[in-house]
Amino acid sequence: MAEPFLGGLFSDALSWRWIFYVKVPVGVVAIVAIAARLHLPKPVGRGRVDVLGGVLVTVATTAVLLVATLGPDRGWTTTPVLALIAVAVVSLVGYVLTERRAAEPITPLPMFRNGVFVISAVQFFLSTLVLFVAMLYVPLFLQTVRHASAFTAGLYVIPLLVGLVAATAVAEPLIAKTGHYKRYPVIGALLAGPSMACARLLGRLPRHRPDRGRDAGARAGRAGEAAGGTDARNRRRHGRSARVLIVSGRL
C-alpha cells in the first residue's frame, strides 16, 4: 500500500528512475533469501517444455500490444497496423493448433469445457481490466488532465489497495472455512461497478495548478513594471512642466 505513496514521492523529489532503483536491493535480498531458505523437492520426472506454444503466444501478445499502441496514432487502416493484426491472428490460430497437439501444453484446451473454469476466466479478465484501469489510467488522468503531481496521483490509488487487502483478508478465511466461493466474485463485481462510476467524479474536481504561484508572481511583476513606468512618465511630465514655468518666469 505504500508503493504509490513512495513512488509519487520519489518521482517529485528525486526522479522517476528511483522507482526502479529502490527495488534493486530489495530484489537482491529476496533472491538471496530464497536461495538460502527455500528447499523444494526434486521432481521425479522431466517434463517437456512447450517451446513452440510459448513463442506463438508471445508473438501474438506482442502484436496485439503494438496494434493497441500504434493504431490510435498511425490509423487502424495503415499497412503496419494491418500487418500486425494479421500477425496476431495467425499467431493466435497457430497457438490454438499447437496446444491441441502438445504433450504438455501451456493452456490445456479441455479446461474450456468446464463451465466453472470458463466463468472464472471471464470474471478474472473483467476484474483484471478494472484493476489496471484504476491503477494505471486514474493516476495518468490526474497527472495529464488535472495537472496533479505524481505524489497526489499516487494518493488516489491507496484506497484501492486498502480495499484489495481488506477483501482478501475477509474472503480468504471465509472460503477456507465454509467452502463456498461463488458469492464473493459476485459481491466484488457489484462493488466494482459503483466504485468505477464514482471514479467519474474525478473529472469534476478542481484542477491542480502547480504553476499558479509562478503565474501570480508574473502578474505581480508586470503590474510593478506598469506602475514603475507610470511613475517615470509622471516624473518626466512634472519635470517638463517645471522647466516651462521657469522659462516663463525668466521671460
Side-chain angles (χ1 to χ4, degrees):
M1 290 186 291
E3 187 170 355
F5 172 81
L6 295 177
L9 184 63
F10 290 152
S11 298
D12 289 340
L14 299 173
S15 172
W16 61 268
R17 296 176 178 86
W18 277 93
I19 299 175
F20 303 97
Y21 293 157
V22 168
K23 296 181 179 180
V24 172
V26 177
V28 172
V29 172
I31 292 175
V32 173
I34 291 174
R37 306 295 297 179
L38 182 62
H39 302 286
L40 297 176
K42 295 182 178 181
V44 178
R46 300 187 62 180
R48 299 180 59 181
V49 180
D50 186 10
V51 178
L52 182 58
V55 172
L56 289 174
V57 73
T58 302
V59 172
T61 305
T62 304
V64 170
L65 291 176
L66 290 175
V67 168
T69 303
L70 301 178
D73 297 332
R74 299 190 179 184
W76 300 101
T77 58
T78 56
T79 303
V81 175
L82 292 177
L84 288 171
I85 293 175
V87 170
V89 173
V90 172
S91 300
L92 185 59
V93 173
Y95 176 70
V96 173
L97 295 177
T98 301
E99 296 305 285
R100 292 180 61 182
R101 301 177 180 179
E104 296 184 8
I106 298 175
T107 307
L109 298 182
M111 290 193 306
F112 290 95
R113 301 174 184 174
N114 189 335
V116 176
F117 173 79
V118 173
I119 295 176
S120 300
V122 173
Q123 192 272 338
F124 178 77
F125 171 77
L126 295 176
S127 60
T128 305
L129 181 66
V130 173
L131 176 64
F132 277 92
V133 166
M135 293 189 65
L136 299 180
Y137 288 102
V138 169
L140 182 63
F141 169 80
L142 291 172
Q143 289 185 265
T144 57
V145 178
R146 289 292 151 186
H147 305 289
S149 63
F151 176 76
T152 303
L155 293 179
Y156 280 91
V157 185
I158 292 180
L160 170 66
L161 300 180
V162 172
L164 289 176
V165 174
T168 304
V170 172
E172 184 177 357
L174 292 177
I175 294 174
K177 182 178 180 180
T178 62
H180 301 289
Y181 61 90
K182 295 182 180 180
R183 65 187 69 175
Y184 300 103
V186 176
I187 295 174
L190 293 176
L191 293 177
S195 300
M196 296 305 296
C198 292
R200 296 183 57 187
L201 299 177
L202 294 175
R204 301 181 182 179
L205 295 176
R207 294 191 177 187
H208 298 266
R209 293 294 303 276
D211 55 343
R212 185 175 298 172
R214 293 193 295 269
D215 292 344
R219 288 194 297 268
R222 289 194 294 269
E225 292 176 0
T230 302
D231 292 340
R233 288 193 296 271
N234 290 335
R235 287 195 296 271
R236 288 195 296 269
R237 189 180 300 113
H238 291 318
R240 287 195 297 269
S241 300
R243 286 194 296 272
V244 170
L245 290 175
I246 292 172
V247 173
S248 300
R250 289 178 180 177
L251 295 176

